[in-house]
Amino acid sequence: TDISKGLMTYDLPQFSSIHPADFPEYLKSLLEQQQARLDACLATTTEFTWQNLMQVLEDVEDSIEKCFSPLS
């Protein structure tokens, strides 16, 4: 089962597609993707603004929250 379908594809989680046993692997992948996104932002930006840093951080936080919220 692809847990990302249940957690990230829709506005509301597809609870029937979420299997807690798949969560650790999915979380690890999500965190690696978000870390790469942050690393790229920091490596390519010299003047930070809300849009090019804080919005990126907000988006990262939102994706992680969406991952955890159906399981809590």
Side-chain angles (χ1 to χ4, degrees):
T1 304
D2 185 3
I3 194 170
S4 65
K5 287 182 183 177
L7 294 173
M8 302 298 289
T9 307
Y10 306 95
D11 290 332
L12 294 174
Q14 299 296 307
F15 291 102
S16 62
S17 299
I18 299 172
H19 302 282
D22 297 334
F23 181 74
E25 183 179 329
Y26 177 72
L27 178 61
K28 181 180 179 188
S29 173
L30 175 66
L31 292 174
E32 288 171 353
Q33 291 170 11
Q34 298 307 322
Q35 183 66 53
R37 184 176 178 190
L38 291 173
D39 291 345
C41 174
L42 295 173
T44 60
T45 306
T46 57
E47 278 190 46
F48 296 104
T49 65
W50 176 269
Q51 200 61 31
N52 70 17
L53 177 62
M54 294 308 297
Q55 188 61 53
V56 173
L57 290 171
E58 289 288 324
D59 294 344
V60 166
E61 178 186 23
D62 187 54
S63 70
I64 294 169
E65 286 175 6
K66 284 181 181 176
C67 176
F68 274 101
S69 118
L71 297 174
S72 58

